Amino acid sequence: MKSPEQKQFYSITELTREFEVSTRTIRFYEDEGLIQPIRRGRTRLFKPSDRRLLMLIMRGKRLGFSIAEIREIISIYKEPPGEGGQLKLLIEKVTEKRDQLLQKRKDIDETIAELDQVEEQSLTRMAELGVGR
Amino acid sequence: MKSPEQKQFYSITELTREFEVSTRTIRFYEDEGLIQPIRRGRTRLFKPSDRRLLMLIMRGKRLGFSIAEIREIISIYKEPPGEGGQLKLLIEKVTEKRDQLLQKRKDIDETIAELDQVEEQSLTRMAELGVGR
DNA sequence: AAAATTATTTACGTAAAAGTAAAACCCGCC
DNA sequence: GGCGGGTTTTACTTTTACGTAAATAATTTT
């Protein structure tokens, strides 16, 4: 079986709709070297791999990573199988990014726990005041 | 027993050291209304509650929240016990923020999983090339 | 073919979150 | 009693991540 439907190319507006960003934003990411769409004439054509990179970028943005940091993460994925010394370096980079992410997850869990407390207290208070109001 | 040592007041430089930010940054947060240190003469004095707010702010920054969003989160904690309608609204706010955080956690877990894969492949590759190199 | 739409390039603009610099103030102290 | 440290205010500057607008070109629609 083949994959359900692999599109050859995406237009810039298709992607702006999918990711809810402007064309300016996508071109900006190209300027920043995060994606490299090919051209037909002057028009950009985005491959599935560009689309995947955009998903990565958006995820990074949601996590509060800067463009520079997102570039680093992407470069980790792109690194070729490589030899010896490079691999050790790569693993160090991975470890560093993972540590950052673990810190963020800790922050999230703490914040969620606090929000849960607020909610619980609110619910208790509402019950005291006579429910359904 | 009392708490191990509750300081009455912190100076601005004490806090810049603890949180590794500049005085400019702390004053900026005051301008933004996130903290309200009291004054002795013109000098700012920060209470433990201000310090706790700063911890909250830093945590929010690590998670990529903007000042405006951090302000919202703080306002959730500050909301007084309140009555009826306010409480329902508060719970809605809590739910919204929590959803944002859960999305972020999902993003984090995905990214960590991908990084784990990169690491695993690297380790395998290193083993192939003859270990300790 | 004219008109409308869609995409590109170039360039200036902007909001957020501070950085930086200058000038003045207060404070203890040797 | 001047001096070095820390603090404050004011104001200008910078960086990041785009927004916006104008002019041009290519494509599609009528």
Side-chain angles (χ1 to χ4, degrees), chain A residues 11 13 21 27 31 36 49 52 57 60 76-77 83 109:
Chain A
S11 77
T13 34
V21 296
R27 293 191 191 110
D31 280 352
Q36 283 113 0
S49 64
R52 278 195 294 277
I57 295 169
I76 290 179
Y77 294 143
E83 331 91 50
D109 288 343

Side-chain angles (χ1 to χ4, degrees), chain B residues 4-131:
Chain B
E5 180 119 28
Q6 265 295 46
K7 243 193 147 177
Q8 273 291 313
F9 294 113
Y10 302 86
S11 76
I12 196 166
T13 33
E14 274 179 293
L15 294 180
T16 62
R17 275 175 200 134
E18 175 168 6
F19 295 108
E20 310 209 270
V21 295
S22 67
T23 58
R24 176 71 179 83
T25 299
I26 291 181
R27 294 192 191 108
F28 174 70
Y29 294 151
E30 182 183 357
D31 280 353
E32 290 294 310
L34 300 182
I35 49 181
Q36 283 111 3
I38 60 173
R39 302 289 181 116
R40 182 181 47 198
R42 343 169 69 215
T43 303
R44 290 166 175 82
L45 294 180
F46 297 81
K47 287 183 288 185
S49 63
D50 293 313
R51 182 168 163 280
R52 277 194 296 275
L53 279 174
L54 276 172
M55 299 179 75
L56 256 176
I57 295 169
M58 297 309 150
R59 202 172 61 187
K61 298 235 75 191
R62 283 197 299 274
L63 293 177
F65 285 115
S66 70
I67 299 296
E69 289 171 316
I70 291 172
R71 206 198 324 275
E72 283 179 51
I73 295 176
I74 289 180
S75 84
I76 290 179
Y77 295 144
K78 279 196 175 159
E79 209 96 347
E83 332 91 49
Q86 301 299 340
L87 282 171
K88 282 179 92 169
L89 229 155
L90 179 57
I91 290 182
E92 278 170 36
K93 280 196 221 168
V94 166
T95 303
E96 189 197 324
K97 281 298 161 195
R98 189 171 34 210
D99 287 348
Q100 285 179 32
L101 290 164
L102 289 173
Q103 170 65 54
K104 287 193 194 220
R105 193 161 66 179
K106 205 174 136 200
D107 288 330
I108 287 175
D109 289 342
E110 284 173 20
T111 309
I112 288 181
E114 289 168 11
L115 288 176
D116 284 348
Q117 270 196 30
V118 172
E119 187 181 32
E120 214 184 294
Q121 285 164 17
S122 301
L123 290 171
T124 305
R125 186 87 180 96
M126 284 179 79
E128 286 170 14
L129 297 177
V131 197

Side-chain angles (χ1 to χ4, degrees), chain A residues 58-122:
Chain A
M58 297 309 151
R59 199 171 65 187
K61 298 235 71 188
R62 284 197 299 275
L63 293 176
F65 285 115
S66 69
I67 297 296
E69 288 170 318
I70 291 173
R71 205 197 326 273
E72 283 179 51
I73 295 176
I74 288 179
S75 85
I76 290 179
Y77 294 143
K78 279 198 175 158
E79 208 96 349
E83 331 91 50
Q86 300 298 340
L87 282 171
K88 282 180 90 169
L89 230 156
L90 179 56
I91 290 183
E92 278 170 37
K93 281 196 220 169
V94 167
T95 303
E96 189 198 324
K97 281 300 162 194
R98 188 169 37 209
D99 287 348
Q100 284 179 33
L101 289 164
L102 289 173
Q103 171 65 54
K104 287 194 194 222
R105 193 162 66 182
K106 206 175 135 200
D107 288 329
I108 286 175
D109 288 343
E110 285 174 19
T111 309
I112 288 182
E114 288 169 14
L115 288 176
D116 284 348
Q117 271 196 30
V118 172
E119 186 180 33
E120 214 183 296
Q121 285 165 17
S122 301

